[in-house]
């Protein structure tokens, strides 16, 4: 079975038949585990996308990320969700990706995810994520930008007098 799939893969590559190649790669991935499975699912997703089979491209990209989650894979999943108009799912994939990176990249991914959550109507979750970005990386989301994001969406944030004092002492003017 595996040998037959490998031969089909070779034929479909030579024939430049991306849909048939995508299906064959997905079948080959079904008999593998770990990184090899994830790599074949990644490639299958690319070929499904080239064949305008966006649902299958998303499905195989999600499967690859489930096998071996990496920031890069999850960002592909986020893009495919966004392309399909699934803004909330795209934002959640971006948040998962952000958990796998450090520093400014993490904050930037979280910020983009929060904006996506807001666009999807998930304002509470967006506000929590913006607050987390602001608290962890105020240089990425300064207080004024944070306030603007809230105001643009007509969201308010109640701050206790103690919190205001802390913000003032830390140099973050609310």
């Amino acid at each position: 079975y595996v040998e037959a799939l490998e031969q089909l893969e070779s034929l479909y590559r030579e024939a430049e038949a991306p849909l048939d190649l995508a299906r064959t790669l997905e079948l080959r991935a079904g008999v593998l585990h770990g990184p090899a499975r994830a790599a074949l699912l990644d490639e299958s997703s690319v070929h499904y996308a080239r064949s305008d089979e966006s649902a299958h491209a998303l499905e195989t990209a999600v499967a690859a990320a489930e096998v071996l989650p990496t920031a890069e894979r999850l960002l592909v999943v986020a893009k495919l969700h966004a392309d399909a108009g699934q803004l909330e799912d795209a934002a959640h994939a971006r948040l998962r990706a952000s958990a796998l990176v450090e520093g400014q990249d993490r904050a930037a991914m979280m910020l983009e995810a929060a904006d996506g959550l807001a666009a999807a109507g998930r304002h509470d979750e967006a506000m929590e994520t913006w607050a987390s970005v602001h608290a962890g990386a105020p240089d990425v989301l300064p207080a004024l930008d944070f306030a603007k994001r809230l105001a643009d969406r007509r969201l308010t944030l109640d701050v206790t007098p103690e919190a205001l004092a802390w913000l003032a002492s830390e140099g973050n003017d609310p």
Side-chain angles (χ1 to χ4, degrees), residues 30-70:
V31 298
L32 298 174
H33 300 282
R37 178 183 176 101
L40 284 179
L41 289 168
D42 286 337
E43 188 179 355
S44 177
S45 178
V46 168
H47 290 290
Y48 275 128
R50 287 184 184 151
S51 302
D52 293 325
E53 293 283 333
S54 56
H56 284 102
L58 176 57
E59 183 180 311
T60 52
V62 167
E66 288 173 355
V67 170
L68 189 64
T70 64

Side-chain angles (χ1 to χ4, degrees), residues 47-156:
H47 290 290
Y48 275 128
R50 287 184 184 151
S51 302
D52 293 325
E53 293 283 333
S54 56
H56 284 102
L58 176 57
E59 183 180 311
T60 52
V62 167
E66 288 173 355
V67 170
L68 189 64
T70 64
E72 294 78 17
R73 279 192 179 98
L74 289 163
L75 290 174
V76 167
V77 169
K79 181 189 179 318
L80 292 170
H81 274 304
D83 290 348
Q86 301 165 351
L87 300 180
E88 184 177 349
D89 291 331
H92 286 135
R94 223 173 243 104
L95 283 174
R96 286 185 59 207
S98 76
L100 300 174
V101 297
E102 298 292 329
Q104 300 288 51
D105 289 340
R106 180 181 199 155
M109 283 183 202
M110 289 178 69
L111 187 58
E112 193 173 340
D115 291 343
L117 287 165
R122 301 292 304 215
H123 300 293
D124 290 344
E125 198 172 352
M127 191 166 61
E128 288 175 22
T129 306
W130 286 323
S132 179
V133 172
H134 174 67
D139 54 321
V140 173
L141 184 59
L144 289 176
D145 291 345
F146 181 32
K148 183 178 177 345
R149 279 184 162 76
L150 296 175
D152 286 348
R153 288 159 182 89
R154 292 186 172 84
L155 300 174
T156 59

